[in-house]
């Protein structure tokens, strides 16, 4: 109780300069990102299981998790933790932006950014993404989260997939190529262009899950043991409001 009161008082008044919690409040809820239990979600800091991750964003209620990294873009500056593997990305208007349709081989990613210095096995990644445009000349289009990403690039991909019907899909990426999904689930309402949606990818042991706008698909694989995380696109223009990385304690 004391911790929550202290955060609210200092942060709500905008006194973040020099504060280890500040200086940015990505979700505007009065709690600076460095101490916010849900830095991308407006909440009152309730934490029923006491793991430091707020109830409003806890990916596994009742399990002990932690926030490994939070990437917000409110500052307008490029986060030093992010590295562009390929494609064009910028930070503008408080968002990470991929604003070009590349075209070409749809089995290869058009753009990918990765979190530097991370090598983990069990991880959960959440991002709020807005698809601006799909490439009408492409058969299918994807906006993705990658887990256990490594040189190649290799790893697991969770996709919000424009595929008629739109799906949540899991791919196994090998040397940059990912010709077909390993698991899919049809979205109840599809992907609406211009509307933010939450995408969450998890790799816990050999179990991999992909949740897009509340619809989840799963796949079992032990192909890759550890790696970093990232977000990417294929045949799409998109923006990201935030990227949050969780892991078991």
């Amino acid at each position: 109780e004391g911790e929550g009161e202290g955060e609210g008082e200092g942060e709500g008044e905008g006194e973040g300069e020099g504060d280890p919690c500040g200086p940015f409040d990505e979700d505007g809820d009065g709690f600076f990102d460095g101490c916010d239990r849900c830095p991308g979600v407006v909440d009152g800091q309730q934490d029923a299981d006491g793991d430091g991750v707020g109830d409003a964003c806890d990916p596994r209620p009742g399990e002990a998790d932690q926030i490994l990294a939070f990437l917000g873009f409110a500052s307008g500056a490029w986060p030093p933790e992010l590295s562009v593997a390929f494609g064009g990305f910028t930070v503008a208007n408080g968002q990470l932006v991929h604003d070009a349709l590349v075209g070409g081989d749809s089995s290869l990613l058009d753009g990918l950014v990765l979190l530097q210095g991370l090598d983990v096995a069990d991880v959960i990644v959440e991002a709020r993404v807005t698809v601006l445009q799909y490439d009408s000349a492409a058969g299918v289009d994807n906006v993705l989260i990658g887990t256990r990403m490594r040189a190649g690039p290799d790893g697991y991909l969770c996709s919000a997939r424009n595929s008629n019907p739109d799906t949540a899909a899991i791919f196994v990426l090998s040397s940059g190529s990912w010709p077909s999904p390993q698991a899919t689930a049809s979205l109840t309402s599809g992907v609406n262009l211009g509307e933010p949606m939450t995408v969450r990818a998890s790799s816990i042991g050999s179990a991999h899950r992909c949740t897009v706008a509340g619809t989840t698909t799963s796949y079992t694989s032990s192909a890759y043991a550890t790696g970093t995380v990232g977000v990417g696109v294929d045949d799409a223009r998109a923006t990201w409001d935030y990227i949050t990385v969780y892991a078991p304690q």
Side-chain angles (χ1 to χ4, degrees), residues 148-177:
R148 298 186 187 170
M149 300 294 292
R150 50 209 295 167
D154 303 321
Y156 297 103
L157 299 177
C158 163
S159 170
R161 184 169 169 84
N162 175 37
S163 51
N164 192 28
D166 294 348
T167 60
I170 295 175
F171 296 85
V172 178
L173 180 70
S174 178
S175 298
S177 180

Side-chain angles (χ1 to χ4, degrees), residues 6 9 14 51 57 66 84 99 106 112 129 131 145 173 196 205 223-224 227 231 241:
E9 291 172 2
D51 62 358
C57 64
Q66 61 183 316
V84 177
D99 199 26
S106 62
L112 178 67
V129 59
V131 181
I145 292 176
L173 180 70
Y224 304 120
V231 297
D241 295 327

